[in-house]
DNA sequence: CCTCCGATGTGCT
DNA sequence: GCACATCGGAGGC
């Protein structure tokens, strides 16, 4: 019981990896670049909300080497993740939102005529703005081709906020979503309709 | 083969 | 707040 509590409290390494991706710049297709403002951490077999919770052909790439792109489709949208763990662990970071820095025309051609701060808000919209599709699965984001991630120095901890992950039914209260505090490109929180009860959704400053 | 179901986005009440 | 489009993955039979 005590070990269970400790396991719940202890933060897996993918959470630090997620925070480290805030501020990184993703270079996508057709000259679109985005500064990452919102991410979510997904761990391996210990995280019921993660695709890696069940090891299948789809999630196998999460168990592969780090720095590879894991792309999946949901409800007709693409979502992009970066595998952050050593081979065999199965954790990855979902890129949930970004500020478009360059390639606004190409991004808008894919996303439609929306104001800048909405171009890359939400994981499906961000992937769409960047032109990321299933064809980018497995890309080494250190080298490309197609998609490259340039990491930045860590953001000051006091500029990062954490909260529960968006739209997950299982493990709905783990505060493994991280975003740049107050950034207009960050997506809204939506709790899964069938997620378990929660007295007060955890939200805290990183320190 | 078939059914169920989202790590979503959008629009409407 | 709620409905629903939409489609690949996962699992049951």
């Amino acid at each position: 019981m005590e070990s269970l509590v400790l396991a719940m409290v202890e933060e897996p390494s993918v959470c630090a990896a997620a925070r480290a991706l805030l501020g990184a710049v993703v270079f996508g297709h057709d000259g679109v670049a985005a500064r990452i403002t919102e991410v979510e951490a997904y761990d391996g077999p210990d995280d019921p909300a993660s695709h890696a919770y069940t090891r299948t052909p789809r999630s196998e790439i999460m168990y592969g080497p780090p720095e590879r792109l894991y792309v999946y489709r949901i409800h007709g949208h693409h979502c992009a993740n970066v595998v952050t763990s050593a081979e065999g662990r199965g954790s990855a970071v979902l890129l949930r939102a970004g500020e478009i820095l360059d390639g606004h025309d190409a991004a808008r051609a894919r996303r439609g005529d929306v104001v800048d701060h909405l171009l890359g808000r939400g994981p499906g919209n961000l992937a769409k703005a960047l032109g990321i599709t299933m064809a980018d699965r497995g890309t080494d984001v250190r080298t490309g081709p197609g998609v490259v991630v340039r990491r930045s120095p860590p953001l000051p901890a006091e500029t990062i906020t954490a909260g529960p992950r968006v739209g997950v039914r299982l493990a709905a209260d783990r505060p493994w979503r991280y975003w740049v505090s107050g950034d207009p490109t960050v997506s809204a929180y939506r709790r899964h309709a069938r997620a378990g009860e929660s007295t007060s959704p955890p939200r805290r400053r990183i320190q």
Side-chain angles (χ1 to χ4, degrees):
Chain A
M1 183 53 155
E2 190 174 18
S3 60
L4 176 64
V5 171
L6 286 172
M8 297 286 286
V9 170
E10 190 176 341
E11 174 182 283
S13 58
V14 66
C15 291
R19 294 192 293 270
L21 274 166
L22 291 175
V25 177
V26 181
F27 298 87
H29 295 277
D30 307 303
V32 178
R35 169 184 160 266
I36 299 304
T37 57
E38 179 192 359
V39 293
E40 281 174 359
Y42 288 90
D43 208 0
D46 295 328
D47 181 8
S50 175
H51 290 170
Y53 188 64
T54 53
R55 189 166 180 167
T56 66
R58 177 176 67 154
S59 62
E60 191 59 29
I61 190 167
M62 291 180 68
Y63 285 92
E67 305 295 333
R68 304 299 166 86
L69 212 56
Y70 168 49
V71 184
Y72 67 92
R73 293 199 69 161
I74 181 170
H75 291 272
H77 305 274
H78 297 281
C79 295
N81 303 248
V82 176
V83 178
T84 59
S85 53
E87 203 153 353
R89 165 91 186 196
S91 55
V93 173
L94 171 65
L95 308 180
R96 279 202 59 92
E99 173 195 2
I100 304 301
L101 301 176
D102 208 352
H104 294 76
D105 289 347
R108 202 162 265 116
R110 289 189 279 259
R111 281 278 294 116
D113 188 18
V114 296
V115 294
D116 283 4
H117 74 275
L118 297 181
L119 280 172
R121 183 160 86 171
N125 288 333
L126 177 61
K128 193 171 185 180
L130 290 166
I132 293 175
T133 67
M134 288 299 198
D136 297 300
R137 272 182 305 184
T139 298
D140 187 328
V141 297
R142 295 167 298 190
T143 64
V147 180
V148 170
V149 175
R150 183 208 288 156
R151 291 174 178 274
S152 62
L155 298 186
E158 61 270 21
T159 67
I160 299 173
T161 311
R165 295 171 290 186
V166 173
V168 297
R169 184 172 60 89
L170 303 172
D173 294 321
R174 294 188 191 183
W176 292 356
R177 170 181 178 235
Y178 305 95
W179 65 92
V180 177
S181 310
D183 194 290
T185 65
V186 172
S187 67
Y189 176 67
R190 298 185 313 280
R191 190 174 179 84
H192 188 105
R194 296 205 299 143
E197 288 299 314
S198 168
T199 49
S200 57
R203 171 179 292 206
R204 57 185 166 81
R205 291 260 164 168
I206 299 301
Q207 175 55 300

